[in-house]
RNA sequence: GGGGAAGUGGCGAAAUGGCAGACGCGCAUGCCUUAGGAGCAUGUGUCUUAAUCGACGUGCGGGUUCGAAUCCCGCCUUCCCCA
């Protein structure tokens, strides 16, 4: 330091030791003192204060906070600080989502044990969160890879398992070759792995599921939560509720055990238009129904379908293919015998894996029928249809024709009446299906919470007794992925005894999806150190549900859906008394740089050098000033100067020598300054509440300009000046916590500004005395009048007619209408 | 293909039925300075003008209204989600 003088030191020396804003000289000092004095420590209850749980989605410990993290976390911190200064008892905790593939893959790449890698990263990121000036209560920090945390993951799993909400089942799972594990449907984007982009394959294996579908209908109820509509729409679409009918075709002629072939349709009104039936290639009856002469073609097609991804199979662009299997099914409503085909656009996992082919009224069936020369029979007549062939499938409602006794009904009535007939004749049932599948949460990887299950040859699947939790991850396992869980190759881990019969047994070796960890972490924050339960009932009552949740929209149908499910399940187990985890949700936008998402791997921008150069407050404010927080922004260094200048100006205003100010200033000037202060307070408080940090900063910039102007006029009293300084600092504190604290001390107040209340505003003091009334002629602005604030309508018109600029347009014309908007505008409509 | 969000100066943006472009960047001119990646002042949508006045102006085209960036309809473009 003695030899390398900073630019700012040189500046201040050459400027005659002027007192300048040098964040490096005090930011750390305040961070240390906030921590030492526990400014952000929060007890569960404070008399006279309402609790406010401000939760921001916790990060993966990837190693470095990048500027995108800063964007997310400084906005959330600003809002939490705002709420604290509004008088709430604010819980704003931080933790680490420290299990999972990113840490594990990075650890493998650098050949370090995932635990060492993760914990090293956490140390660094905790340091960086401090540099940012986050108002976290570090006593409540949690990390999901710690046995103290994941034992409760295992505990909650057991509770769900006992309640029948977790189960193991064999079936086709989404296999990611890149990640060497299965992933849930929610983690497949466009047929590829959400994490690594590898195309997902189908692989049949034993997997664990949570019965999220049991809550499908309740998950659709979102009127009572204050969430962005966008997220609600995405969840609704993901759940994909559709009402339809299971309808049974007769296949008894083949003498199989199964006498019926069940199809699912949402358009039972078109049932008289069925001219074929399509099965998914994986449908269990395909094998038995296929006739000898078709066997070869069918086998080939089934094999080919198995190699095709689900996304390809259902793509609307792709040609629909299929092969007949030589068998027929009888439509019991009209006795018609129609061919059965297999087609890969039918998925085994949706509905019943079989659909009735109605080419006249379904696009895919239409193309399919054209291609294979199948009959296209119209049963829903379009308006004014002349009986000629259709150019394409007719999907809209219409009138039933060719539909036996239902002819003449509207298709809407047809849906109900035909369903009634099917149910009363025992040919099928109304059924609701969902696009959403159960949540497949077992992973064949090392770095996750072991599923606490023991497999015994005699007793079957046995839950690990609660007293034996946690089932700890073995420290010394070879953690490299092999296609099955690395735990399966660790004899010390896998070999155990059955809790029921005591004979040798094997442990389950799959680990849990990390979304299990994050489905309840908000509850753990209420009592993070509790040793004998996942959470303390009283603490949960104090803090939950989360008042304000903040984070990215990319979790819409993953974390946010899973957490809602978990909360409802725990409610039904009488562990909590609410069904929604997050009462209010706000999604910040994405910060990009050079048209790319900022991430550690692809496009890093490290904040540490920026802080060295500009200070944490400058970076925080700059990020918040880019634009509305929910819209995201584009990082560039260009605009930083504006924030630097503003904070310099704030500094300069606060360190001025006020000894020359008089005890009574000029009345008009004082009024003007007070008005500016109250207006700014109103704007800032209202905008902070709505996460409009950019306009909050604009308002504060305007106030600092106005303060300087009034100072120059020399007619402000010492008391008004200092009251305005206080107001400005209090409003700046949530955004720029360090400079606000430093100046709060310098102007003579005691520690800490962050324990103060935000100032109130008085609408009367904020009101202008003179207002500008716009005069329009036929909607065009022709003059602007300066009038007293409480001007009457008559006076306003009188003033308007007196204006020479207006007279030009009103002479020799007839005024047909006059509009008056109080305090704002006069509009004269002339002819 | 379906659903959703958005489109405003050279740039980030503000205004959600009533003065378009607040605030900031950049730029220009001037002041201060040995110096400027510092500070201060003034100006800055386009056309026209010496300057005013005036005209035009919120992706494009229509509509509703005394009045539309804002509401409605159609189109184009970009982004997100789902196929």
């Amino acid at each position: 330091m003695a030899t390398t003088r900073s630019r700012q030191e040189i500046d201040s020396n050459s400027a005659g030791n002027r007192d300048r804003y040098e964040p490096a000289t005090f930011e750390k000092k305040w961070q240390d003192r906030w921590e030492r004095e526990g400014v952000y420590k929060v007890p569960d209850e404070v008399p006279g204060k309402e609790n406010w749980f401000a939760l921001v989605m916790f990060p993966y410990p990837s190693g470095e906070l990048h500027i995108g993290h800063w964007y997310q976390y400084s906005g959330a911190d600003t809002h939490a600080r705002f709420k604290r200064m509004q008088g709430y008892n604010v819980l704003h905790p931080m933790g680490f989502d420290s299990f999972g593939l990113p840490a594990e893959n990075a650890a493998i790449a650098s050949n370090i044990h995932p635990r060492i890698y993760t914990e090293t990263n956490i140390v660094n990121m905790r340091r960086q969160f401090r540099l940012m000036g986050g108002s976290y209560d570090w006593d409540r920090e949690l990390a999901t890879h710690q046995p103290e945390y994941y034992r409760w993951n295992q505990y909650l799993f057991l509770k769900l398992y006992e309640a029948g909400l977790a189960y193991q089942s064999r079936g086709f799972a989404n296999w990611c070759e890149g990640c060497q594990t299965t992933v849930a449907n929610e983690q497949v984007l466009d047929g590829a792995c959400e994490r690594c982009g590898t195309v997902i394959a189908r692989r049949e294996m034993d997997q664990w599921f949570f019965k999220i579908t049991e809550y499908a209908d309740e998950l659709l109820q979102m009127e009572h939560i204050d969430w962005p509509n966008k997220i609600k729409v995405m969840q609704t679409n993901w759940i994909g509720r559709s009402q339809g009918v299971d309808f049974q075709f007769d296949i008894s002629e083949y003498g199989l055990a199964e006498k019926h072939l069940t199809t699912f349709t949402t358009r039972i009104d078109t049932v008289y238009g069925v001219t074929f039936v399509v099965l998914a290639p994986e449908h269990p009856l395909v094998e038995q129904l296929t006739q000898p002469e078709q066997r070869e073609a069918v086998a080939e097609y089934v094999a080919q379908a198995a190699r095709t991804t689900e996304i390809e199979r259902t793509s609307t662009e792709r040609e629909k293919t299929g092969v007949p299997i030589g068998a027929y099914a009888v439509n019991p409503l009209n006795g018609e015998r129609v061919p059965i085909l297999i087609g890969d656009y039918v998925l085994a996992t949706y509905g019943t894996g079989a659909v009735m082919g109605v080419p006249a009224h379904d696009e895919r069936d239409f193309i399919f029928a054209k291609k294979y020369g199948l009959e296209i029979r119209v049963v829903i007549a379009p308006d004014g249809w002349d009986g000629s062939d259709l150019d394409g499938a007719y999907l809209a409602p219409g009138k039933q024709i060719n539909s036996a006794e239902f002819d003449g009904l509207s298709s809407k009535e047809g849906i109900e009446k035909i369903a009634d007939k099917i149910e009363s004749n025992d040919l099928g049932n109304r059924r609701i299906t969902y696009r959403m599948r159960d949540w497949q949460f077992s992973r064949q990887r090392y770095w996750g919470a072991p599923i606490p299950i023991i497999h015994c040859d005699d007793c079957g699947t046995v839950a690990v007794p609660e007293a034996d939790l946690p089932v700890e991850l073995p420290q010394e396992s070879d953690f490299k992925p092999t296609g099955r869980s690395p735990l399966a190759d660790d004899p010390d881990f896998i070999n155990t005894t059955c809790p029921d019969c005591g004979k040798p047994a094997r442990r389950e070796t799959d680990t849990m999806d990390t979304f299990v960890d994050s489905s309840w972490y908000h509850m753990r924050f209420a009592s993070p150190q509790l040793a004998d339960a996942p959470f303390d009932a009283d603490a949960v009552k104090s803090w939950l549900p989360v008042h304000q949740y903040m984070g990215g929209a990319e979790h819409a149908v993953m974390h946010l859906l899973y957490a809602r499910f978990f909360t409802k399940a725990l409610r039904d187990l009488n562990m909590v008394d609410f069904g929604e985890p997050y009462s209010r949700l706000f999604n910040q936008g994405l910060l990009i740089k050079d048209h790319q998402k900022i991430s550690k791997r692809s496009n890093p921008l490290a904040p540490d050098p920026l802080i060295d150069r500009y200070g944490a407050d400058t970076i925080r404010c700059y990020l918040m000033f880019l634009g509305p927080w929910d819209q995201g922004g584009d990082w560039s260094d260009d605009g930083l100067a504006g924030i630097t200048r503003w904070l310099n100006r704030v500094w300069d205003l606060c360190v001025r020598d006020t000894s020359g100010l008089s005890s009574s200033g000029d009345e008009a000037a004082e009024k003007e300054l007070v008005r500016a202060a109250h207006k700014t307070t109103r704007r800032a408080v209202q905008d902070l509440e709505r996460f409009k940090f950019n306009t909050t900063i604009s308002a504060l910039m305007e106030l600092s300009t106005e303060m300087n102007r009034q100072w120059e006029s020399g007619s402000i009293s010492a008391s008004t000046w200092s009251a305005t300084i206080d107001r400005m600092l209090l409003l700046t504190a949530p955004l720029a916590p360090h400079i606000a604290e430093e100046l709060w001390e310098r102007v003579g107040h005691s520690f800490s500004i962050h324990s103060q209340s935000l100032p109130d505003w008085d609408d009367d003091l904020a009101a202008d005395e003179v207002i500008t009334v716009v005069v329009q002629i036929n909607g065009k602005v022709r003059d602007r009048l300066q009038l007293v604030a409480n001007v009457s309508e008559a006076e306003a018109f009188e003033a308007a007619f007196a204006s020479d600029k207006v007279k030009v347009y009103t002479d020799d014309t007839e005024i047909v209408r006059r509009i008056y908007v109080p305090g704002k505008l006069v509009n004269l409509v002339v002819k």
Side-chain angles (χ1 to χ4, degrees), chain A residues 725-740:
Chain A
I725 290 282
D726 289 355
R727 207 168 257 275
M728 177 182 70
L729 288 177
L730 289 165
L731 296 170
T732 304
L735 290 149
H738 307 86
I739 188 177

Side-chain angles (χ1 to χ4, degrees), chain A residues 396-408:
Chain A
K399 187 165 280 195
Q400 301 274 160
I401 58 168
N402 298 325
S403 300
E405 71 263 36
F406 303 102
D407 282 355

Side-chain angles (χ1 to χ4, degrees), chain A residues 107 115 124 126 152 188 307 313 336 346 354 417 429 481 572 590 603 626 639 661:
Chain A
R115 186 176 53 79
N124 188 48
R126 201 187 286 131
W152 301 114
V188 179
R307 291 193 300 270
R313 285 173 53 169
E336 280 182 27
V346 178
K417 293 277 160 53
N429 293 291
D572 290 345
L590 204 59
N603 194 21
L626 283 176
L661 294 179

Side-chain angles (χ1 to χ4, degrees), chain A residues 526-672:
Chain A
S527 48
Q529 271 105 36
L530 195 63
D532 55 5
F535 41 79
D536 176 76
D538 288 336
V540 164
K541 261 200 178 61
S542 294
W543 290 115
L544 287 136
V546 171
H547 299 84
Q548 180 68 61
Y549 198 34
M550 297 162 276
E554 67 273 18
H555 289 293
V557 294
M558 292 189 266
H559 163 57
L560 289 170
L561 194 60
Y562 297 146
R564 293 183 65 218
F565 156 68
F566 241 70
T567 307
K568 291 175 198 307
L570 296 187
R571 174 204 59 201
D572 290 345
L573 293 169
N574 291 318
M575 296 178 73
V576 298
D577 60 4
F578 49 89
E580 289 290 347
Y582 314 124
S583 304
R584 298 211 304 179
L585 173 68
F586 192 93
N587 295 121
Q588 88 277 1
L590 204 59
L591 184 72
I592 59 171
K593 181 188 145 214
D594 308 327
H595 314 291
Q596 270 187 78
K597 185 178 172 174
I598 295 171
S599 77
K600 190 197 170 194
R601 191 184 290 178
S602 67
N603 194 21
L605 179 59
D608 293 19
L610 289 168
I611 302 159
D612 285 346
R613 182 162 170 189
Y614 297 100
D617 287 337
T618 307
I619 303 301
R620 285 175 62 120
C621 290
Y622 176 60
L623 289 168
M624 296 301 99
F625 188 62
L626 283 176
W629 198 42
D630 55 343
Q631 277 175 36
D634 211 340
W635 173 273
S636 81
D637 297 354
D638 297 345
L640 271 166
I643 294 293
T644 306
R645 284 178 198 145
W646 168 56
L647 290 176
N648 278 331
R649 211 155 61 231
V650 169
W651 184 273
D652 174 62
L653 287 168
C654 292
V655 298
R656 283 178 188 181
D657 178 6
T658 55
S659 60
L661 294 179
S662 66
S663 57
S664 62
D666 173 74
E667 198 188 331
E670 296 249 308
K671 255 190 160 168
E672 234 175 291

Side-chain angles (χ1 to χ4, degrees), chain A residues 184-339:
Chain A
N185 286 356
E186 288 80 5
Q187 291 153 35
V188 179
L189 295 180
D190 292 337
C193 175
E194 178 247 341
R195 288 206 190 291
C196 71
T198 304
V199 172
I200 294 296
R202 316 281 299 157
R203 187 183 271 200
E204 193 174 15
M205 47 203 299
D206 287 315
Q207 294 292 297
W208 284 90
F209 296 85
F210 284 125
K211 256 190 208 168
I212 191 172
T213 52
E214 190 146 303
Y215 288 87
D217 276 323
E218 199 190 337
L219 287 166
L220 286 167
Q221 305 303 311
M222 288 180 274
E223 302 80 25
H224 53 297
I225 48 175
D226 184 3
W227 283 26
N229 201 47
K230 181 175 70 167
I231 304 288
K232 292 185 180 181
V233 168
M234 281 164 72
Q235 292 204 350
T236 302
N237 292 341
W238 181 261
I239 295 167
R241 183 183 200 272
S242 57
Q243 194 153 4
V245 173
D246 276 341
F247 177 58
Q248 295 171 352
F249 284 79
D250 188 318
I251 50 167
S252 54
E253 64 182 282
Y254 298 99
L256 305 173
E258 200 61 60
K259 304 282 178 246
H260 304 290
L261 179 59
T262 306
T263 59
F264 176 78
T265 179
T266 57
R267 290 295 305 275
I268 198 65
D269 54 318
T270 65
V271 70
Y272 287 89
V274 173
T275 56
F276 56 97
V277 170
V278 190
L279 304 185
E282 302 85 359
H283 194 285
L285 288 173
V286 168
E287 179 68 24
Q288 300 166 62
L289 285 172
T290 300
Q291 300 303 299
E293 62 273 23
Q294 309 304 129
R295 201 160 287 281
E296 198 178 324
V298 167
E300 193 181 313
Y301 187 84
V302 169
Q304 187 200 317
R307 291 193 300 270
T308 313
T309 63
E310 196 163 301
I311 186 80
E312 283 179 69
R313 285 173 53 169
T314 53
S315 164
T316 48
E317 263 104 82
R318 186 162 164 271
E319 198 177 351
K320 301 292 168 281
T321 60
V323 290
I325 64 172
Y328 291 81
V330 176
N331 178 345
L333 284 180
N334 57 11
E336 280 182 27
R337 197 159 169 269
V338 298

Side-chain angles (χ1 to χ4, degrees), chain A residues 357-411:
Chain A
V358 187
H361 305 294
D362 182 278
E363 272 177 80
R364 290 167 309 178
D365 295 346
F366 185 88
I367 297 163
F368 201 76
K370 279 277 187 200
K371 187 169 173 187
Y372 295 99
L374 299 157
E375 188 195 344
I376 300 173
R377 185 195 305 152
V378 178
V379 292
I380 307 294
D383 267 354
W385 182 56
D386 60 5
S388 60
D389 285 353
L390 299 177
D391 297 333
Y394 177 73
L395 306 176
K399 187 165 280 195
Q400 301 274 160
I401 58 168
N402 298 325
S403 300
E405 71 263 36
F406 303 102
D407 282 355
L409 295 180
S410 72
S411 52

